[in-house]
Structure formats: structure tokens, C-alpha cells
Amino acid sequence: MKKWLLMILVGTALVLGACGGGDDDQTSEGGSSNGDAADAEAIYKSNCTACHGADLSGGVGPSLETIGASLSADEIADIIENGTGNMGPQNVSADDREVLSEWLAAKK
């Protein structure tokens, strides 16, 4: 029982420490769509992989491999900004949120 509780506490600490905390230095100005994809991947790796997996396959959070099939970029941006279910609002700049949500919306 104590091991289970310890695992839950450590897991929770890792998730809370890894989710959010966007790095505002990663924004690009006037980048091309290829630059936006690279930026989006960097933003994703900095903010989302702990919960959604490095390959979008999920983990603590749901898979995002085909998220664009069910949610628009605006809906994804709203979830990033305001949170949903167990996911709280993420500390990501408006520019990063836009790049990331457009990139995820293309995942169909």
C-alpha cells in the first residue's frame, strides 16, 4: 500500500512539474509553415510530452495522434488555454498556443 501511494505521489509530482511552463523564447516571427511545424514540435516537446507522450500516443493524458479529426484548431487552443477534465490550463504564450493548436489540428 505504501509503495502504491509513493508511486502516485511521485507520478503526480512529475506530471505537475512537466506540464505547462512554456518557454516563451521559442516563438518565431514570420516563419514559414515548415518553420511553424518545427516550432510546434519544440513547443509540444517542452510542454506536452510528459502527459501525451513524445510520439503523441498518450500516457497520463489521451493520445493526440488523430486529435484534428475531432477538434478544430480553435477548440484545441481553447483547451490549451483553459484546460479540460484533468488537464489544467497550460502556461503557453498566445503565439505558441496558436502554432501548437494549428499543428495538432492537422493530425487526422
Side-chain angles (χ1 to χ4, degrees):
M1 182 69 169
K2 289 182 182 181
K3 286 184 181 180
W4 179 250
L5 181 60
L6 181 60
M7 286 176 32
I8 291 174
L9 291 173
V10 170
T12 302
L14 288 172
V15 168
L16 292 175
C19 290
D23 186 3
D24 290 339
D25 293 334
Q26 294 180 350
T27 59
S28 65
E29 295 181 26
S32 67
S33 61
N34 288 340
D36 286 347
D39 289 346
E41 288 181 27
I43 296 164
Y44 179 85
K45 286 180 182 179
S46 298
N47 298 285
C48 311
T49 57
C51 298
H52 297 286
D55 60 355
L56 302 152
S57 64
V60 175
S63 169
L64 301 177
E65 292 172 311
T66 59
I67 191 69
S70 58
L71 296 175
S72 70
D74 289 339
E75 292 169 320
I76 294 168
D78 182 63
I79 291 170
I80 294 169
E81 182 177 9
N82 300 308
T84 186
N86 291 332
M87 178 180 154
Q90 301 302 299
N91 184 19
V92 181
S93 72
D95 290 339
D96 285 356
R97 185 172 49 250
E98 180 180 346
V99 169
L100 182 59
S101 61
E102 290 289 335
W103 180 71
L104 288 170
K107 306 293 180 189
K108 296 184 181 187

